[in-house]
Amino acid sequence: MSHWKADIMCLQEVEIEYWHKIFAQHFKKLGYDSRLFYSKSKSHGVAVLWKRSKFHIVDEISVHMDVSMDVCDETLQTDNVGHVTALRFGSADSMDCADPYADSVDPEYRIDSGVPASGVQAGTEGIVVSNTHLFWRPDACYERLQQQIAMLAAQREMQEKYPGFLLISCGDFNTTPDDAGYALLTKARPVTLNEWQLDNLLPTTMIEEEEPSSDTPISYAEMTTAGTSSESDDTTSKRLRLEEEERQAEIDFARDQERVQRLVKLIQADNDPLRSCYGTYADLDESYRTEQWVGEPIYTNYAKWNGTLDYIFYRPGQGLDVRDVMSLPAEERMKPGLPNEVFASDHVALLARFGCA
């Protein structure tokens, strides 16, 4: 991380003990100020770091996505966190200080977007940096959508308070590019979701399973008498119970569909689409192409499961554009899985250079 010399860094799953003993002190010596935010129930959190020669913090919002937060009158049942920081351009020091890491990324690690660099746009006062780590369970698309809405609300609150600040949203979203959550963040409004995406959004992950019934199922012989005068009292009881369970399942399904539609409308209502810095990366690097989705790299996470979960988003049309992004490592360097002796995390680093148009 020191080698890349980034002006702003967003880290996830940062071990609290290592942060205080190692990372915070190390990066302070390199000219960075920082914030770490975490849930008390976990040993890790999210961190944002910035060069104090270029930025100073003016505000922050900690998003604690647990019982203290409601989305559409529903209480979030996960314990993930996010952090939104407002960084104003200019050093917080009383005088300008030399920045030993002022150079951009080494050309060896850069893929150029072909757009010439430019300075800061007049009227642009700073950057709103959003950093999060969303719920990890693969089938928790509904919960992640709630969390995305919570993060967008915090981002919007910060930008309304600081209208001259531009948004960059980073994190481990635990969301693949073919998920509904990605489409709802990035696609033009109104977003049309396919049947698979809508089914995956149904809120099934956090519901406690009921105890299985001790009743034996209806046999074939009992089915042939169901609803007739020959039906036994025991068969009648079983049939009525199953019919009631079916009616309740239909009610629950209709309710869950309504809950999903409320979130789908809410996330689009007050939020313009975001754009992923690596959204066309596969067009630049053929080794990272996949048939599963278009544009995004095939993986940013390479362990027992390989896929793309991490993103740097920004809002186009508000003054930011991407100049270039750092190339991702060849798959041979990551086999059989991360972390290894070269890469200390099971996720690869993403790095983008922005300009203000």
Side-chain angles (χ1 to χ4, degrees), residues 120-126 163-165:
V120 176
Q121 182 185 23
T124 301
E125 300 177 25
F165 285 51

Side-chain angles (χ1 to χ4, degrees), residues 286-304:
E286 295 184 1
S287 68
Y288 269 78
R289 289 182 184 174
T290 175
E291 295 181 357
Q292 291 179 266
W293 49 74
V294 177
E296 293 285 354
I298 188 173
Y299 37 66
T300 61
N301 172 251
Y302 201 92
K304 293 181 180 179

Side-chain angles (χ1 to χ4, degrees), residues 5 53 114 138 151 171 189 199 204 268 279:
K5 311 168 187 176
S53 63
M151 291 303 301
R189 279 63 170 119
D199 286 346
T204 60
Q268 299 180 71

Side-chain angles (χ1 to χ4, degrees), residues 57-339:
I57 186 170
V58 294
D59 208 344
E60 60 188 306
I61 299 174
S62 298
V63 184
H64 202 160
M65 294 179 278
D66 62 357
V67 294
S68 66
M69 177 164 291
D70 291 338
V71 174
C72 280
D73 299 321
E74 293 185 65
T75 301
L76 275 67
Q77 297 297 322
T78 65
D79 204 17
N80 295 87
V81 298
H83 196 261
V84 180
T85 311
L87 301 177
R88 190 181 299 277
F89 290 119
S91 170
D93 299 333
S94 57
M95 59 182 66
D96 291 338
C97 59
D99 181 9
Y101 295 96
D103 297 333
S104 59
V105 181
D106 293 342
E108 177 184 357
Y109 299 99
R110 180 187 302 163
I111 290 182
D112 199 326
S113 65
V115 182
S118 67
V120 176
Q121 182 185 23
T124 301
E125 300 177 25
I127 304 293
V128 169
V129 181
S130 176
N131 185 22
T132 192
H133 181 199
L134 302 186
F135 194 39
W136 67 272
R137 286 177 56 168
D139 56 351
C141 295
Y142 183 83
E143 287 72 31
R144 281 190 291 274
L145 186 57
Q146 289 179 308
Q147 294 177 340
Q148 287 181 4
I149 291 172
M151 291 303 301
L152 288 168
Q155 295 166 15
R156 187 168 60 251
E157 177 184 344
M158 191 69 86
Q159 284 200 287
E160 288 175 353
K161 190 173 181 180
Y162 300 95
F165 285 51
L166 307 177
L167 174 68
I168 299 175
S169 177
C170 306
D172 177 355
F173 289 77
N174 274 311
T175 300
T176 55
D178 54 350
D179 283 348
Y182 180 90
L184 291 167
L185 280 179
T186 62
K187 301 300 181 184
R189 279 63 170 119
V191 178
T192 301
L193 300 177
N194 59 44
E195 184 177 353
W196 176 82
Q197 290 173 322
L198 287 171
D199 286 346
N200 282 349
L201 279 177
L202 291 174
T204 60
T205 58
M206 307 303 291
I207 300 175
E208 295 183 0
E209 294 184 3
E210 296 181 358
E211 291 292 328
S213 173
S214 59
D215 295 337
T216 56
I218 297 179
S219 66
Y220 176 77
E222 290 173 323
M223 289 176 61
T224 61
T225 63
T228 70
S229 59
S230 301
E231 183 179 53
S232 67
D233 291 343
D234 183 56
T235 302
T236 301
S237 176
K238 292 179 182 178
R239 175 175 59 81
L240 292 176
R241 175 181 56 79
L242 290 174
E243 289 174 353
E244 177 58 29
E245 289 178 354
E246 184 177 351
R247 281 194 295 270
Q248 187 59 48
E250 291 176 352
I251 293 172
D252 291 345
F253 181 66
R255 178 203 62 199
D256 288 346
Q257 285 184 314
E258 182 180 351
R259 292 165 66 189
V260 167
Q261 289 300 329
R262 283 197 303 166
L263 293 187
V264 168
K265 291 179 180 179
L266 180 60
I267 196 172
Q268 299 180 71
D270 299 314
N271 302 290
D272 294 329
L274 300 175
R275 182 175 295 171
S276 169
C277 293
Y278 280 76
T280 59
Y281 185 83
D283 299 332
L284 305 172
D285 186 345
E286 295 184 1
S287 68
Y288 269 78
R289 289 182 184 174
T290 175
E291 295 181 357
Q292 291 179 266
W293 49 74
V294 177
E296 293 285 354
I298 188 173
Y299 37 66
T300 61
N301 172 251
Y302 201 92
K304 293 181 180 179
W305 178 90
N306 304 334
T308 294
L309 303 173
D310 309 278
Y311 306 94
I312 303 173
F313 291 117
Y314 68 103
R315 185 159 283 127
Q318 293 192 355
L320 279 179
D321 53 45
V322 180
R323 303 308 187 185
D324 42 51
V325 297
M326 184 175 68
S327 60
L328 301 179
E331 185 175 11
E332 290 72 21
R333 301 182 64 194
M334 297 185 286
K335 291 181 176 179
L338 301 180

